[in-house]
Amino acid sequence: MAVEHPVTVPSCDQTRIHNIGYRTYDGPRLGRSYATRSLYSQSLRGAYGLGRSVKSKVLPMLLFVVMCVPAAIMVAVAVATKAKDLPVDYTRYAIIMQAVISLYVASQAPQSVSRDLRFKTVPLYFSRPIETADYVRAKYAALASAMFILTAAPLIVLYVGALLAKLDFADQTEGFGQGLVSVALLSLLFAGIGLVIASVTPRRGFGIAAVIAVMTISYGAVSTLQAIADAQGSSSAVPWIGLFSPVTLIDGLQSAFLGANSAFPGAVGPSNGEGVVYVLAVLGLIAACYGLLMRRYKKVGL
C-alpha cells in the first residue's frame, strides 16, 4: 500500500520593509563656524575640568586659587597698612608666579590634545565640516584663553584692592593695562609651546613631563648664564641671553616697552632697540607654534 508523503511547499518570501522612523533633516546647517566655536567652548571648559569628573577639576582649580591668594594677601596688607602703592607691580606678578603658570600649562596642554591623539579621534573631527585650521585655532585659542583667565584674575584682584585702598586711579589703571598686555602675550606664547610639545606624544604623562622640562630647564639655564655674565662684567650680554627662555622673553619685552622693572641680574633689561628683537622673537615663536601645529595635524588627519 503506497504511503503518501506531504510535500513541503517553500514558504513565500518573508522580507518586510519596516518604517523605523528615519526622516530627513530639514533644519539649518550650522557649518564650520559653529563646530569651531563648540570645540573652543568644550576645550576651554575642559581646561578647568568643567563638565568632567571631580578629579579633573582639582588641579586646575587649585592652581587658580594659588595664583589669586598671594594677590589677595597683598591687597589686604596694602589696605591695612594704608600703603601708597602695591607691594608688586602688575607686570611683575606673572613673572613671580611663573612656576605655577608653567605647571598649569604642563597639565592642561596634554589634556587638550593628547586624548584625541591617543584614541585617534582627530580624523573624526575632520569628517565633519571642521578642517585642520579650525581644529588648531580652536585648541590654541581655548588654552590661551584659559591661561589668560589664570593670569589676569590675580591682576583684577590687585586692581580692585588698589582702588579700595584709594591708591592713585590713573597710575593703577595704567599699570593694570600694562599687566593685561603682558599676560596676554605670555598666554599666547606658553599655550603655543605647550600644545606643540603635547602634540608630539599621545601619552599625557610624557607630555606633562616634557612641557615642565622645557619650561623649567630653559628658565634655569638662561638665569644661570645671565648671572654668570653679570658677575664677569659682561652685562651687555645679559639681555641677549634672555632670548632663549619663554619667561625671560616676556620679562625682557615688558621691561623694554611696558615700564616694568626687569628681573634680569643687575636689573639690566633690554634697551628699546633690543626690545624690538624681543617683540619679534615673541611674535615669531607664536607664529612658529601655530605653523608647527598645522603641519602636525595635517599629518594626523590623513
Side-chain angles (χ1 to χ4, degrees), residues 58-288:
V58 173
L59 183 59
M61 293 300 182
L62 177 62
L63 293 177
F64 182 83
V65 171
V66 170
M67 282 292 294
C68 293
V69 166
I73 294 174
M74 292 177 190
V75 165
V77 171
V79 172
T81 60
K82 297 182 180 180
K84 296 182 179 180
D85 205 352
L86 291 173
V88 174
D89 293 337
Y90 295 96
T91 50
R92 289 284 300 137
Y93 193 85
I95 303 300
I96 294 173
M97 303 295 290
Q98 58 92 15
V100 180
I101 299 171
S102 298
L103 182 57
Y104 180 86
V105 70
S107 63
Q108 297 310 310
Q111 182 275 330
S112 181
V113 297
S114 293
R115 290 187 302 169
D116 291 342
L117 295 171
R118 183 176 182 181
F119 297 109
K120 304 184 187 301
T121 56
V122 175
L124 296 179
Y125 284 108
F126 300 157
S127 66
R128 295 295 182 182
I130 193 172
E131 296 183 0
T132 306
D134 302 322
Y135 181 88
V136 172
R137 281 196 294 265
K139 291 292 185 177
Y140 198 152
L143 185 58
S145 299
M147 293 196 61
F148 183 74
I149 293 171
L150 179 78
T151 52
L155 300 188
I156 294 174
V157 173
L158 288 174
Y159 182 64
V160 172
L163 296 183
L164 292 175
K166 298 181 180 180
L167 303 182
D168 186 75
F169 177 80
D171 290 342
Q172 296 305 317
T173 301
E174 181 184 3
F176 178 62
Q178 292 170 344
L180 289 181
V181 173
S182 175
V183 297
L185 291 171
L186 182 146
S187 299
L188 286 170
L189 180 60
F190 277 42
I193 294 173
L195 287 174
V196 167
I197 297 172
S199 67
V200 175
T201 174
R203 296 188 176 275
R204 184 181 177 186
F206 291 165
I208 293 174
V211 174
I212 291 176
V214 169
M215 294 296 184
T216 57
I217 291 176
S218 64
Y219 179 70
V222 166
S223 298
T224 301
L225 290 175
Q226 286 179 323
I228 293 173
D230 183 64
Q232 294 182 348
S234 301
S235 58
S236 60
V238 171
W240 298 110
I241 297 173
L243 291 169
F244 297 96
S245 166
V247 177
T248 53
L249 265 176
I250 299 299
D251 188 1
L253 185 152
Q254 67 181 16
S255 63
F257 295 111
L258 298 177
N261 295 322
S262 177
F264 291 176
V268 182
S271 62
N272 288 342
E274 294 166 339
V276 172
V277 179
Y278 272 73
V279 173
L280 294 176
V282 170
L283 296 179
L285 271 176
I286 292 172

